[in-house]
Amino acid sequence: MNIQTDLFHTVEDLRRQPLVVAYGLGVDSTAVLVEFQRRGIRPDAILFADTGNEKQETYDYLPVINAWLLSVGFPLVKVVRHFPNKSKKWPEYSSLGENCLTNATLPSLAFGFKSCSLKWKVLPQNIWVDRWLLAKRFWRNGGKVKKVIGYDASPKDMKRYYKVKGMEDEKYEYWYPLVDWGMDREACKASIRAAGLPVPPKSACVFCPATQPAELREHKREYLRLIVMMEARAKHRLEGCMSSGELLQDFERRLSEWEVKVRASSGKRLEILLNKRPVLKKVGAGCAGLWRKATKERPAMMTDFILSEGLLPVHEVEFLQKRVPVEIERNLLAFAEGGRVVNWHDFLEMFTEEDAIDELGHSCGGCVFG
């Protein structure tokens, strides 16, 4: 007999370890849900962290999986997001792409880090769980929430798995069921099909540095335009694109900022800063685009690949490269001075095909972007 402790949870609920699925709306995490249903395992929460820049095909899969979850008695997907603090220096942004355009930078993966994933994926999910009554009560009794991660048993994911295997966390116990069950990518797809579901598209931001050239060739034009805008906005700050003189100026700026911080610090903070003294970079040594470094197969900048493959017309790319950085700086300056500026959504709408055609003085889209 289950005794009700409140409107939502029974005593049995509170004794059982809460099970949360970190859902990416992709193949692996969808296979996890399908296998859970097949094996009689019911998750307590399914969380999808939306960066605001997933492919439309990924968003289109959300109602598909929710209909299936409803049919098998699972909780629906809870969409969570990162909400940055408001600033007086720049307009409010609500997506990873807008974050990068605001700060004239690229996703951290382009620099060899993964802080964009932590900020826009992991943190919003953790904040939701922090407020979840079932988790709070379980933590209070000394337990840990079990968080499900959808790494499969393919060689690529197994490398990721071995890097995090055994990781300790005071709040979470991490579980990689697809690895335990020996399911690789193809087995995941087969499981999804067997459940009567379509296989979801690859889940990733439209400008993800891990995008392969073949995938970029299949990108929608609106995704390609955002990539061009992002790289154009960040280019002046990318060390791999700087001349020796620009690198020297950048070094002097960073050194000056570092010296100010050193003078204002003490103790442990000072010790950390002293070990991070800026160094003068060599020409071509830093990040030079979303793909970071050029290889035999592709350039460092996705924009260069877009041009070489004819995925967007040259004049459209040049228009975006010339206008977008200038207009963003103008917007930021106006906002900092207390002026009214358009929001990011409306700003980016200004650079759709139709508006770009108007700017170029053409009346026929086929003539400009055909």
PDB file of all heavy atoms in Angstrom, residues 130-149:
ATOM      1  N   ASP A 130      17.474  21.092  -9.009  1.00  0.00           N
ATOM      2  CA  ASP A 130      17.670  21.723  -7.699  1.00  0.00           C
ATOM      3  C   ASP A 130      16.346  22.166  -7.079  1.00  0.00           C
ATOM      4  O   ASP A 130      16.212  22.216  -5.852  1.00  0.00           O
ATOM      5  CB  ASP A 130      18.594  22.945  -7.828  1.00  0.00           C
ATOM      6  CG  ASP A 130      20.057  22.556  -7.955  1.00  0.00           C
ATOM      7  OD1 ASP A 130      20.392  21.399  -7.656  1.00  0.00           O
ATOM      8  OD2 ASP A 130      20.863  23.413  -8.366  1.00  0.00           O
ATOM      9  N   ARG A 131      15.367  22.510  -7.927  1.00  0.00           N
ATOM     10  CA  ARG A 131      14.071  23.000  -7.446  1.00  0.00           C
ATOM     11  C   ARG A 131      13.010  21.896  -7.362  1.00  0.00           C
ATOM     12  O   ARG A 131      11.876  22.158  -6.974  1.00  0.00           O
ATOM     13  CB  ARG A 131      13.572  24.120  -8.377  1.00  0.00           C
ATOM     14  CG  ARG A 131      14.506  25.322  -8.414  1.00  0.00           C
ATOM     15  CD  ARG A 131      14.151  26.257  -9.546  1.00  0.00           C
ATOM     16  NE  ARG A 131      15.019  27.430  -9.570  1.00  0.00           N
ATOM     17  CZ  ARG A 131      15.094  28.285 -10.593  1.00  0.00           C
ATOM     18  NH1 ARG A 131      14.329  28.091 -11.672  1.00  0.00           N
ATOM     19  NH2 ARG A 131      15.912  29.318 -10.529  1.00  0.00           N
ATOM     20  N   TRP A 132      13.381  20.712  -7.729  1.00  0.00           N
ATOM     21  CA  TRP A 132      12.455  19.582  -7.820  1.00  0.00           C
ATOM     22  C   TRP A 132      12.274  18.976  -6.429  1.00  0.00           C
ATOM     23  O   TRP A 132      13.229  18.552  -5.785  1.00  0.00           O
ATOM     24  CB  TRP A 132      13.026  18.564  -8.795  1.00  0.00           C
ATOM     25  CG  TRP A 132      12.180  17.395  -9.132  1.00  0.00           C
ATOM     26  CD1 TRP A 132      10.822  17.299  -9.140  1.00  0.00           C
ATOM     27  CD2 TRP A 132      12.676  16.109  -9.543  1.00  0.00           C
ATOM     28  NE1 TRP A 132      10.427  16.044  -9.534  1.00  0.00           N
ATOM     29  CE2 TRP A 132      11.547  15.297  -9.793  1.00  0.00           C
ATOM     30  CE3 TRP A 132      13.948  15.582  -9.743  1.00  0.00           C
ATOM     31  CZ2 TRP A 132      11.669  13.976 -10.213  1.00  0.00           C
ATOM     32  CZ3 TRP A 132      14.076  14.274 -10.163  1.00  0.00           C
ATOM     33  CH2 TRP A 132      12.944  13.481 -10.395  1.00  0.00           C
ATOM     34  N   LEU A 133      11.039  18.932  -5.956  1.00  0.00           N
ATOM     35  CA  LEU A 133      10.750  18.479  -4.599  1.00  0.00           C
ATOM     36  C   LEU A 133      11.261  17.074  -4.336  1.00  0.00           C
ATOM     37  O   LEU A 133      11.838  16.793  -3.275  1.00  0.00           O
ATOM     38  CB  LEU A 133       9.240  18.556  -4.351  1.00  0.00           C
ATOM     39  CG  LEU A 133       8.762  18.156  -2.951  1.00  0.00           C
ATOM     40  CD1 LEU A 133       9.381  19.053  -1.893  1.00  0.00           C
ATOM     41  CD2 LEU A 133       7.233  18.202  -2.882  1.00  0.00           C
ATOM     42  N   LEU A 134      11.066  16.168  -5.294  1.00  0.00           N
ATOM     43  CA  LEU A 134      11.485  14.781  -5.105  1.00  0.00           C
ATOM     44  C   LEU A 134      12.997  14.692  -4.899  1.00  0.00           C
ATOM     45  O   LEU A 134      13.477  13.938  -4.045  1.00  0.00           O
ATOM     46  CB  LEU A 134      11.066  13.945  -6.324  1.00  0.00           C
ATOM     47  CG  LEU A 134      11.002  12.428  -6.137  1.00  0.00           C
ATOM     48  CD1 LEU A 134      10.041  12.049  -5.024  1.00  0.00           C
ATOM     49  CD2 LEU A 134      10.581  11.754  -7.442  1.00  0.00           C
ATOM     50  N   ALA A 135      13.755  15.484  -5.692  1.00  0.00           N
ATOM     51  CA  ALA A 135      15.213  15.476  -5.558  1.00  0.00           C
ATOM     52  C   ALA A 135      15.636  16.086  -4.221  1.00  0.00           C
ATOM     53  O   ALA A 135      16.522  15.556  -3.534  1.00  0.00           O
ATOM     54  CB  ALA A 135      15.841  16.250  -6.712  1.00  0.00           C
ATOM     55  N   LYS A 136      15.026  17.199  -3.853  1.00  0.00           N
ATOM     56  CA  LYS A 136      15.417  17.873  -2.609  1.00  0.00           C
ATOM     57  C   LYS A 136      15.206  16.969  -1.399  1.00  0.00           C
ATOM     58  O   LYS A 136      16.041  16.922  -0.489  1.00  0.00           O
ATOM     59  CB  LYS A 136      14.627  19.180  -2.457  1.00  0.00           C
ATOM     60  CG  LYS A 136      15.047  20.254  -3.460  1.00  0.00           C
ATOM     61  CD  LYS A 136      14.588  21.644  -3.054  1.00  0.00           C
ATOM     62  CE  LYS A 136      13.111  21.829  -3.132  1.00  0.00           C
ATOM     63  NZ  LYS A 136      12.723  23.251  -2.874  1.00  0.00           N
ATOM     64  N   ARG A 137      14.092  16.254  -1.387  1.00  0.00           N
ATOM     65  CA  ARG A 137      13.818  15.359  -0.262  1.00  0.00           C
ATOM     66  C   ARG A 137      14.797  14.183  -0.248  1.00  0.00           C
ATOM     67  O   ARG A 137      15.237  13.738   0.819  1.00  0.00           O
ATOM     68  CB  ARG A 137      12.381  14.867  -0.327  1.00  0.00           C
ATOM     69  CG  ARG A 137      11.368  15.945   0.015  1.00  0.00           C
ATOM     70  CD  ARG A 137       9.959  15.400   0.065  1.00  0.00           C
ATOM     71  NE  ARG A 137       9.027  16.396   0.566  1.00  0.00           N
ATOM     72  CZ  ARG A 137       7.717  16.208   0.655  1.00  0.00           C
ATOM     73  NH1 ARG A 137       7.195  15.049   0.288  1.00  0.00           N
ATOM     74  NH2 ARG A 137       6.931  17.162   1.123  1.00  0.00           N
ATOM     75  N   PHE A 138      15.140  13.683  -1.427  1.00  0.00           N
ATOM     76  CA  PHE A 138      16.071  12.558  -1.491  1.00  0.00           C
ATOM     77  C   PHE A 138      17.465  12.992  -1.059  1.00  0.00           C
ATOM     78  O   PHE A 138      18.166  12.266  -0.357  1.00  0.00           O
ATOM     79  CB  PHE A 138      16.089  11.985  -2.910  1.00  0.00           C
ATOM     80  CG  PHE A 138      16.545  10.548  -2.973  1.00  0.00           C
ATOM     81  CD1 PHE A 138      15.720   9.525  -2.539  1.00  0.00           C
ATOM     82  CD2 PHE A 138      17.806  10.220  -3.441  1.00  0.00           C
ATOM     83  CE1 PHE A 138      16.137   8.201  -2.586  1.00  0.00           C
ATOM     84  CE2 PHE A 138      18.237   8.908  -3.493  1.00  0.00           C
ATOM     85  CZ  PHE A 138      17.395   7.888  -3.056  1.00  0.00           C
ATOM     86  N   TRP A 139      17.891  14.181  -1.477  1.00  0.00           N
ATOM     87  CA  TRP A 139      19.184  14.723  -1.066  1.00  0.00           C
ATOM     88  C   TRP A 139      19.222  14.931   0.446  1.00  0.00           C
ATOM     89  O   TRP A 139      20.233  14.676   1.092  1.00  0.00           O
ATOM     90  CB  TRP A 139      19.460  16.048  -1.780  1.00  0.00           C
ATOM     91  CG  TRP A 139      19.835  15.907  -3.223  1.00  0.00           C
ATOM     92  CD1 TRP A 139      20.509  14.881  -3.805  1.00  0.00           C
ATOM     93  CD2 TRP A 139      19.569  16.845  -4.275  1.00  0.00           C
ATOM     94  NE1 TRP A 139      20.688  15.109  -5.152  1.00  0.00           N
ATOM     95  CE2 TRP A 139      20.115  16.305  -5.455  1.00  0.00           C
ATOM     96  CE3 TRP A 139      18.918  18.085  -4.327  1.00  0.00           C
ATOM     97  CZ2 TRP A 139      20.036  16.966  -6.689  1.00  0.00           C
ATOM     98  CZ3 TRP A 139      18.851  18.752  -5.550  1.00  0.00           C
ATOM     99  CH2 TRP A 139      19.397  18.201  -6.717  1.00  0.00           C
ATOM    100  N   ARG A 140      18.104  15.419   0.980  1.00  0.00           N
ATOM    101  CA  ARG A 140      18.048  15.695   2.415  1.00  0.00           C
ATOM    102  C   ARG A 140      18.252  14.415   3.227  1.00  0.00           C
ATOM    103  O   ARG A 140      18.767  14.453   4.345  1.00  0.00           O
ATOM    104  CB  ARG A 140      16.705  16.328   2.756  1.00  0.00           C
ATOM    105  CG  ARG A 140      16.667  16.968   4.127  1.00  0.00           C
ATOM    106  CD  ARG A 140      15.597  18.028   4.255  1.00  0.00           C
ATOM    107  NE  ARG A 140      14.281  17.566   3.838  1.00  0.00           N
ATOM    108  CZ  ARG A 140      13.545  18.168   2.899  1.00  0.00           C
ATOM    109  NH1 ARG A 140      14.000  19.233   2.258  1.00  0.00           N
ATOM    110  NH2 ARG A 140      12.344  17.707   2.593  1.00  0.00           N
ATOM    111  N   ASN A 141      17.861  13.293   2.658  1.00  0.00           N
ATOM    112  CA  ASN A 141      18.035  12.007   3.332  1.00  0.00           C
ATOM    113  C   ASN A 141      19.363  11.340   2.994  1.00  0.00           C
ATOM    114  O   ASN A 141      19.580  10.169   3.305  1.00  0.00           O
ATOM    115  CB  ASN A 141      16.884  11.069   2.973  1.00  0.00           C
ATOM    116  CG  ASN A 141      15.556  11.529   3.548  1.00  0.00           C
ATOM    117  OD1 ASN A 141      15.526  12.116   4.632  1.00  0.00           O
ATOM    118  ND2 ASN A 141      14.476  11.272   2.833  1.00  0.00           N
ATOM    119  N   GLY A 142      20.250  12.103   2.343  1.00  0.00           N
ATOM    120  CA  GLY A 142      21.597  11.592   2.064  1.00  0.00           C
ATOM    121  C   GLY A 142      21.751  10.842   0.760  1.00  0.00           C
ATOM    122  O   GLY A 142      22.816  10.261   0.497  1.00  0.00           O
ATOM    123  N   GLY A 143      20.714  10.821  -0.082  1.00  0.00           N
ATOM    124  CA  GLY A 143      20.794  10.093  -1.347  1.00  0.00           C
ATOM    125  C   GLY A 143      21.271  10.950  -2.507  1.00  0.00           C
ATOM    126  O   GLY A 143      21.540  12.145  -2.356  1.00  0.00           O
ATOM    127  N   LYS A 144      21.380  10.333  -3.673  1.00  0.00           N
ATOM    128  CA  LYS A 144      21.776  11.021  -4.903  1.00  0.00           C
ATOM    129  C   LYS A 144      20.745  10.750  -5.998  1.00  0.00           C
ATOM    130  O   LYS A 144      20.189   9.649  -6.073  1.00  0.00           O
ATOM    131  CB  LYS A 144      23.151  10.550  -5.381  1.00  0.00           C
ATOM    132  CG  LYS A 144      24.303  10.918  -4.470  1.00  0.00           C
ATOM    133  CD  LYS A 144      25.635  10.511  -5.098  1.00  0.00           C
ATOM    134  CE  LYS A 144      26.807  10.911  -4.210  1.00  0.00           C
ATOM    135  NZ  LYS A 144      28.121  10.604  -4.849  1.00  0.00           N
ATOM    136  N   VAL A 145      20.524  11.729  -6.820  1.00  0.00           N
ATOM    137  CA  VAL A 145      19.661  11.570  -7.992  1.00  0.00           C
ATOM    138  C   VAL A 145      20.437  10.800  -9.052  1.00  0.00           C
ATOM    139  O   VAL A 145      21.625  11.065  -9.282  1.00  0.00           O
ATOM    140  CB  VAL A 145      19.228  12.946  -8.547  1.00  0.00           C
ATOM    141  CG1 VAL A 145      18.514  12.793  -9.889  1.00  0.00           C
ATOM    142  CG2 VAL A 145      18.351  13.676  -7.541  1.00  0.00           C
ATOM    143  N   LYS A 146      19.779   9.848  -9.689  1.00  0.00           N
ATOM    144  CA  LYS A 146      20.435   9.109 -10.774  1.00  0.00           C
ATOM    145  C   LYS A 146      20.162   9.828 -12.089  1.00  0.00           C
ATOM    146  O   LYS A 146      19.010   9.962 -12.511  1.00  0.00           O
ATOM    147  CB  LYS A 146      19.938   7.665 -10.848  1.00  0.00           C
ATOM    148  CG  LYS A 146      20.617   6.843 -11.939  1.00  0.00           C
ATOM    149  CD  LYS A 146      20.258   5.364 -11.860  1.00  0.00           C
ATOM    150  CE  LYS A 146      21.006   4.681 -10.745  1.00  0.00           C
ATOM    151  NZ  LYS A 146      20.860   3.202 -10.821  1.00  0.00           N
ATOM    152  N   LYS A 147      21.226  10.324 -12.723  1.00  0.00           N
ATOM    153  CA  LYS A 147      21.093  11.035 -13.992  1.00  0.00           C
ATOM    154  C   LYS A 147      21.554  10.140 -15.134  1.00  0.00           C
ATOM    155  O   LYS A 147      22.672   9.611 -15.116  1.00  0.00           O
ATOM    156  CB  LYS A 147      21.899  12.334 -13.998  1.00  0.00           C
ATOM    157  CG  LYS A 147      21.776  13.108 -15.301  1.00  0.00           C
ATOM    158  CD  LYS A 147      22.606  14.381 -15.312  1.00  0.00           C
ATOM    159  CE  LYS A 147      21.928  15.489 -14.571  1.00  0.00           C
ATOM    160  NZ  LYS A 147      22.597  16.810 -14.795  1.00  0.00           N
ATOM    161  N   VAL A 148      20.686   9.981 -16.131  1.00  0.00           N
ATOM    162  CA  VAL A 148      20.964   9.102 -17.268  1.00  0.00           C
ATOM    163  C   VAL A 148      21.575   9.896 -18.410  1.00  0.00           C
ATOM    164  O   VAL A 148      21.023  10.901 -18.857  1.00  0.00           O
ATOM    165  CB  VAL A 148      19.663   8.414 -17.741  1.00  0.00           C
ATOM    166  CG1 VAL A 148      19.930   7.573 -18.980  1.00  0.00           C
ATOM    167  CG2 VAL A 148      19.078   7.572 -16.623  1.00  0.00           C
ATOM    168  N   ILE A 149      22.729   9.442 -18.880  1.00  0.00           N
ATOM    169  CA  ILE A 149      23.442  10.073 -19.991  1.00  0.00           C
ATOM    170  C   ILE A 149      23.437   9.118 -21.180  1.00  0.00           C
ATOM    171  O   ILE A 149      23.768   7.942 -21.033  1.00  0.00           O
ATOM    172  CB  ILE A 149      24.895  10.415 -19.616  1.00  0.00           C
ATOM    173  CG1 ILE A 149      24.942  11.209 -18.294  1.00  0.00           C
ATOM    174  CG2 ILE A 149      25.568  11.190 -20.755  1.00  0.00           C
ATOM    175  CD1 ILE A 149      24.295  12.566 -18.353  1.00  0.00           C
TER     176      ILE A 149
END
